[in-house]
Amino acid sequence: MDILDRNRRLEELDRRYVWHPFTQMKEWEEAVPVIISEGRGSFLRDIYGRWYLDGVSSLWVNVHGHRKKEIDDAIRSQLERISHSTLLGLGSESSIELAEKLINIVPAGLTRVFYSDNGSTSVEVALKMAYQYWIHRGVKGREKFLCLNNAYHGDTLGAVSAGGIDIFHEAFRPLLFDTFRAPSPYCYRCELGLESPGCGLACLERLEEILKGHAPEIAAVIIEPMVQGAGGMVVFPPGYLKGVRDLTEKYGVLLIADEVAVGFGRTGRMFACEHEDVVPDFLCLSKGITGGYLPLAATITTEEVYSAFLGEYRELKTFFHGHSYSGNPLACAAAIASIGLFEREKTVEGVRKKENILLPWLEAVRGLEHVGDARGLGLMAGVELVRDSKNREPYSFEDKMGFKVCLRAREKGLLIRPLGNVVVIMPPLSISEEHLAGMLDIIRDSIVEATEG
Ligand SMILES: Cc1ncc(COP(=O)(O)O)c(C=O)c1O
């Protein structure tokens, strides 16, 4: 079979057998799929040999680039010993070494690592631990969570219950547990109809009202620190994150910081909580933890929470939760290598330098006719497209404007994905300044062509 036949066959088999996530498969079956065969640095190559810039870090996971020698070598070396053994009833070398490394870099006070294998499960673990913590401490009635509108914490049912993006979550409403909801700190589309900074963080006051009325019913508040990612790259106004932490302490409620998207340098700090010196009770990590190589997650908590689960076996204080691949040794080896690279290559400092390219660019594209808002932190940004920037009228769902911009970008050699009307910018943290500038040029041109063309 020649190479062209093989490629056509792959396309055909993909359409016939693979059900893609978050994808309308009717449209997919009618289009020609891009099938990736190789990666190098910030670039991906398809089966026809075309190279594309990986503008979303392979769904927000890639940190040091593809085929990074140090991570490749670490996985190979682990492979020569063992690929997988369970953490149920056994330890494993790389999971232990990684746990120590994690504890050394997370905010001080977080001391216990519970592994799982994806972002959603890291959140499920935190929700269940927070709920059970109160039971083990003998406190009754703490059965609810306080979540933010526009939040995204993953696709398993607990994580969806804590999420607040109607378009993804509404269909599953009857299956979800009830939560309290505070406004999203989404200043461009303020739910309270106010303008930042003059509003004095009124959204935080709403959160406080809920805590004031219901703290004895609430196990924990859950947030995505500094940036609501899948909700449209909504950057928190200064003081909001610290304000949430202060309120959880004031009302005696636990805080879950879901850093699945923002952790590992993405926002210009190793962890987004560091921006406002916040130490949560739970830190949920995944995505970038392995440098974007293998599925792994960690829910990291305090001695206070951990100790509530200690007791005689018959007391049933054990945390009855675990996954077949929790703390997979290959993934842990990749994560150890990735953390080593953060130190050696000064990855986080690099993000801050590149932020100095990204932020002025965001400021400049705000001047385009159909850009309503452009916001970002570190190497994580979104450009919100609007039909009419004067009254902030959004494009309708059917316009698929974000999608159209991304298709244009693809023709120009850049792979990006929209979140509705928001064009997402999430390159690997290791992207060169030159490639970042090239990526931003393509996005700007694609926006102009799709919205004004
Ligand atoms: C903040 C946040 N939490 C959780 C998740 C879920 O992670 P996963 O897709 O690995 O389950 C995501 C994924 O985008 C996320 O952005």
Side-chain angles (χ1 to χ4, degrees):
M1 195 188 310
D2 78 5
I3 193 91
L4 208 59
D5 287 344
R6 184 181 163 274
N7 289 349
R8 295 271 142 76
R9 188 172 140 74
L10 279 172
E11 289 167 358
E12 178 50 31
L13 292 178
D14 182 78
R15 289 194 200 96
R16 196 183 309 162
Y17 294 125
V18 184
W19 190 342
H20 289 260
F22 279 95
T23 301
Q24 175 41 257
M25 292 306 293
K26 179 172 179 295
E27 286 174 6
W28 182 270
E29 285 182 22
E30 289 160 5
V32 181
V34 175
I35 300 174
I36 300 302
S37 64
E38 196 185 324
R40 284 268 163 198
S42 301
F43 290 84
L44 298 171
R45 196 189 87 128
D46 74 9
I47 49 176
Y48 293 99
R50 282 182 295 243
W51 286 90
Y52 300 89
L53 209 158
D54 184 3
V56 287
S57 313
S58 295
L59 217 68
W60 312 4
V61 298
N62 195 279
V63 176
H64 310 289
H66 299 278
R67 299 290 313 276
K68 186 75 180 169
K69 186 175 181 317
E70 289 83 347
I71 305 182
D72 290 0
D73 288 348
I75 294 172
R76 261 191 225 108
S77 148
Q78 179 64 45
L79 198 56
E80 278 163 18
R81 285 174 287 149
I82 188 166
S83 297
H84 184 66
S85 61
T86 180
L87 289 191
L88 277 70
L90 295 173
S92 70
E93 288 175 339
S94 57
S95 68
I96 298 167
E97 284 164 27
L98 174 61
E100 186 191 26
K101 290 204 181 297
L102 287 170
I103 294 306
N104 286 337
I105 58 172
V106 296
L110 295 166
T111 54
R112 297 283 174 170
V113 179
F114 189 95
Y115 288 113
S116 58
D117 48 22
N118 64 74
S120 308
T121 55
S122 76
V123 170
E124 296 288 334
V125 167
L127 295 171
K128 288 169 80 176
M129 276 183 183
Y131 170 80
Q132 235 182 349
Y133 164 83
W134 293 108
I135 295 175
H136 292 342
R137 284 276 177 250
V139 178
K140 292 205 169 64
R142 297 246 182 190
E143 295 180 353
K144 292 244 168 89
F145 292 91
L146 171 47
C147 317
L148 298 188
N149 288 335
N150 199 45
Y152 179 78
H153 297 292
D155 293 331
T156 51
L157 287 174
V160 172
S161 299
I165 304 180
D166 285 347
I167 200 162
F168 298 166
H169 299 154
E170 200 46 43
F172 303 106
R173 187 65 55 208
L175 306 181
L176 309 180
F177 55 74
D178 271 347
T179 55
F180 291 107
R181 301 263 146 197
S184 164
Y186 186 175
C187 299
Y188 180 67
R189 296 195 183 280
C190 177
E191 289 171 49
L192 309 174
L194 302 170
E195 287 288 334
S196 176
C199 63
L201 291 180
C203 49
L204 209 50
E205 288 167 20
R206 295 299 161 95
L207 190 132
E208 176 159 21
E209 280 163 25
I210 300 171
L211 286 171
K212 206 183 271 172
H214 300 280
E217 300 161 56
I218 298 174
V221 173
I222 177 166
I223 53 167
E224 297 154 84
M226 293 312 291
V227 186
Q228 286 190 316
M233 300 293 151
V234 169
V235 180
F236 288 6
Y240 182 84
L241 172 62
K242 183 83 176 78
V244 172
R245 189 24 158 178
D246 290 346
L247 289 174
T248 55
E249 279 175 351
K250 179 171 170 190
Y251 290 93
V253 167
L254 298 170
L255 177 65
I256 301 172
D258 173 358
E259 293 223 17
V260 168
V262 295
F264 291 99
R266 181 53 68 179
T267 67
R269 296 280 191 285
M270 193 59 164
F271 299 103
C273 279
E274 294 170 24
H275 282 278
E276 300 199 344
D277 289 329
V278 160
V279 182
D281 298 289
F282 299 91
L283 184 68
C284 302
L285 302 175
S286 189
K287 289 195 184 277
I289 190 171
T290 59
Y293 265 63
L294 287 163
L296 181 71
T299 307
I300 308 187
T301 190
T302 59
E303 279 315 284
E304 167 60 24
V305 169
Y306 174 78
S307 61
F309 288 75
L310 302 179
E312 298 304 322
Y313 191 75
R314 66 185 139 69
E315 292 179 83
L316 294 179
K317 287 187 169 178
T318 305
F319 186 52
F320 290 109
H321 184 113
H323 300 276
S324 309
Y325 287 101
S326 290
N328 169 262
L330 287 175
C332 289
I336 292 167
S338 174
I339 291 173
L341 285 165
F342 268 99
E343 287 158 17
R344 267 201 302 289
E345 301 194 345
K346 304 204 182 324
T347 309
V348 179
E349 288 88 328
V351 170
R352 282 193 226 141
K353 270 178 77 186
K354 285 171 261 190
E355 185 185 44
N356 291 332
I357 298 173
L358 181 58
L359 296 187
W361 180 87
L362 291 170
E363 186 65 44
V365 289
R366 260 190 229 133
L368 294 180
E369 194 182 337
H370 292 284
V371 170
D373 191 25
R375 48 197 178 243
L377 189 66
L379 273 182
M380 178 173 196
V383 180
E384 182 163 342
L385 308 172
V386 285
R387 188 191 296 280
D388 185 343
S389 57
K390 280 180 210 71
N391 58 16
R392 303 188 180 183
E393 184 197 347
Y395 283 105
S396 73
F397 191 60
E398 295 76 37
D399 287 328
K400 293 179 77 180
M401 193 49 82
F403 183 74
K404 286 178 186 159
V405 170
C406 295
L407 267 187
R408 293 273 178 167
R410 188 202 286 183
E411 287 158 16
K412 299 177 200 300
L414 168 66
L415 293 178
I416 45 174
R417 274 180 69 83
L419 289 161
N421 287 328
V422 177
V423 178
V424 173
I425 300 169
M426 279 282 243
L429 302 190
S430 60
I431 190 171
S432 70
E433 294 186 13
E434 184 196 345
H435 290 144
L436 176 62
M439 168 176 176
L440 298 177
D441 282 347
I442 292 178
I443 295 176
R444 188 189 177 285
D445 292 349
S446 303
I447 291 173
V448 171
E449 288 169 23
T451 61
E452 298 175 27

